[in-house]
C-alpha cells in the first residue's frame, strides 16, 4: 500500500482482516505506486488496492500488461483542486484572480503521483500563474489544517474518498475544462483493485469487493 493514501490504507487493512480469517499469512508492504506495480510484476507482491482508473494510473499500469484487474471496489471517487469552504472561489478559472491570496501556490502531494502529474498539466492548460509545491500527503494535510486554523487562503490537491472531507469543511473547485476530472473518470471514478490473481483468493476478493461497494464509507 501507499502510506498516507487514506483509502488505500483502509481498504488494505480490511482486505488483510478478511484473508487472515481465511487462514492466510498476510504481510503489508509500503512503497510508491511505481514500486508496488514493479514488485507485483516480479511476483513479489500479490495485491494492490490503490489503483485509480481509467486515467490517473493508466500509463503506470500500461508498463505491466501481465497484471490483472480483479474488480472495482469504489466507484464514486473524485480528484481535483480543493479549498476550504470559507474561501470565496468556486472554479479553477478564478484562481488567477486571486494569486496573491494563495501566494501563487498549489499544495500538492508526492512527486510521481498521478494527481501530481495531472495538476501540473492543469496548471499549463488553465494558464495558471501558480507553482505546485510537492512533499507528501501528510505534509499537505498538515499545511491545510494549519491554514484553516488561521482562516488563511489555501488550495491543495485532493481526492475522495478521504477522511479530510469528514474532518474539515472543504470543497472541490469546478473544473470547466474537465481536465482534472478526465484524469480520473469518464463516468463516476472507479478505483480498481489490481492483482496477479491467485486462484484460491479470487472468491474471497469477489465477496470483498461486493461488501466494499455496499458497506464502506469514508
Amino acid at each position: 500500500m501507499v502510506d498516507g493514501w487514506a483509502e488505500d490504507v483502509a481498504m488494505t487493512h480490511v482486505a488483510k482482516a478478511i484473508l487472515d480469517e481465511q487462514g492466510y499469512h498476510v504481510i503489508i508492504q509500503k512503497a510508491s505506486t511505481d514500486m508496488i506495480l514493479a514488485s507485483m510484476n516480479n511476483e513479489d507482491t500479490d495485491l494492490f488496492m490503490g489503483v485509480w482508473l481509467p486515467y490517473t494510473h493508466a500509463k503506470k499500469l500500461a508498463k505491466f500488461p501481465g497484471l490483472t484487474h480483479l474488480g472495482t471496489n469504489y466507484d464514486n471517487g473524485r480528484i481535483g483542486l480543493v479549498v476550504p469552504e470559507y474561501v470565496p472561489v468556486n472554479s479553477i478559472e478564478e484562481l488567477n484572480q486571486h494569486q496573491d491570496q494563495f501566494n501563487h501556490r498549489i499544495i500538492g502531494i508526492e512527486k510521481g503521483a498521478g494527481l501530481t502529474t495531472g495538476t501540473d498539466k492543469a496548471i499549463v492548460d488553465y494558464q495558471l500563474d501558480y507553482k505546485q509545491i510537492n512533499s507528501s500527503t501528510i505534509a499537505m494535510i498538515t499545511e491545510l489544517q494549519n491554514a484553516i486554523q488561521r482562516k488563511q487562503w489555501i488550495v491543495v490537491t485532493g481526492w475522495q474518498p478521504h477522511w479530510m472531507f469528514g474532518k474539515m469543511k472543504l470543497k472541490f473547485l469546478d473544473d470547466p475544462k474537465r481536465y482534472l476530472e478526465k484524469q480520473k473518470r469518464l463516468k463516476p471514478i472507479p478505483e480498481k483493485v489490481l492483482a496477479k490473481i491467485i486462484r484460491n483468493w479470487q472468491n474471497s476478493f469477489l465477496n470483498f469487493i461486493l461488501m466494499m461497494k455496499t458497506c464502506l464509507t469514508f
Side-chain angles (χ1 to χ4, degrees):
M1 70 181 185
V2 180
D3 201 17
W5 289 14
E7 78 293 344
D8 186 22
V9 172
M11 293 177 185
T12 298
H13 282 281
V14 172
K16 181 181 185 303
I18 291 173
L19 289 171
D20 284 344
E21 289 183 357
Q22 299 292 322
Y24 293 100
H25 175 62
V26 178
I27 298 173
I28 295 177
Q29 299 175 321
K30 300 177 182 180
S32 68
T33 303
D34 293 300
M35 292 179 65
I36 292 171
L37 294 177
S39 179
M40 292 177 67
N41 193 60
N42 293 333
E43 300 186 357
D44 295 321
T45 301
D46 299 306
L47 185 71
F48 181 34
M49 308 295 293
V51 174
W52 288 73
L53 295 173
Y55 289 99
T56 301
H57 290 144
K59 289 184 179 180
K60 295 178 185 292
L61 184 56
K63 299 175 184 178
F64 307 105
L67 299 182
T68 304
H69 159 224
L70 183 58
T72 301
N73 58 33
Y74 192 85
D75 55 11
N76 291 304
R78 184 178 181 182
I79 69 168
L81 298 185
V82 175
V83 299
E85 283 189 355
Y86 59 76
V87 173
V89 174
N90 296 304
S91 171
I92 295 175
E93 289 187 327
E94 298 175 40
L95 287 176
N96 275 341
Q97 302 171 30
H98 303 281
Q99 300 166 359
D100 293 337
Q101 290 97 324
F102 289 114
N103 294 316
H104 297 258
R105 302 192 312 160
I106 296 171
I107 308 303
I109 58 172
E110 297 82 2
K111 289 185 177 180
L115 176 55
T116 299
T117 302
T119 300
D120 282 337
K121 292 179 179 178
I123 288 172
V124 174
D125 194 55
Y126 280 97
Q127 299 181 339
L128 299 178
D129 187 13
Y130 282 72
K131 180 179 180 181
Q132 182 176 191
I133 308 299
N134 298 107
S135 178
S136 68
T137 301
I138 294 172
M140 177 273 289
I141 292 172
T142 298
E143 190 153 354
L144 176 61
Q145 290 173 325
N146 291 340
I148 289 175
Q149 288 176 357
R150 302 183 181 99
K151 292 292 183 181
Q152 294 174 335
W153 288 38
I154 186 172
V155 55
V156 305
T157 59
W159 66 94
Q160 287 181 320
H162 197 288
W163 59 262
M164 67 182 182
F165 286 90
K167 295 290 186 180
M168 294 173 271
K169 293 182 178 181
L170 305 170
K171 62 183 178 182
F172 280 98
L173 294 180
D174 291 338
D175 184 4
K177 296 182 180 181
R178 300 186 64 190
Y179 196 84
L180 279 168
E181 181 179 355
K182 70 185 180 184
Q183 291 295 319
K184 291 305 299 179
R185 64 174 180 173
L186 295 176
K187 300 178 180 179
I189 306 168
E191 182 183 6
K192 294 182 176 178
V193 179
L194 187 69
K196 282 268 187 182
I197 297 179
I198 297 177
R199 293 187 181 278
N200 290 340
W201 290 15
Q202 190 167 4
N203 288 336
S204 295
F205 271 94
L206 291 176
N207 291 333
F208 166 74
I209 290 165
L210 289 173
M211 180 273 292
M212 296 291 276
K213 286 184 175 180
T214 56
C215 299
L216 189 62
T217 59
F218 290 85

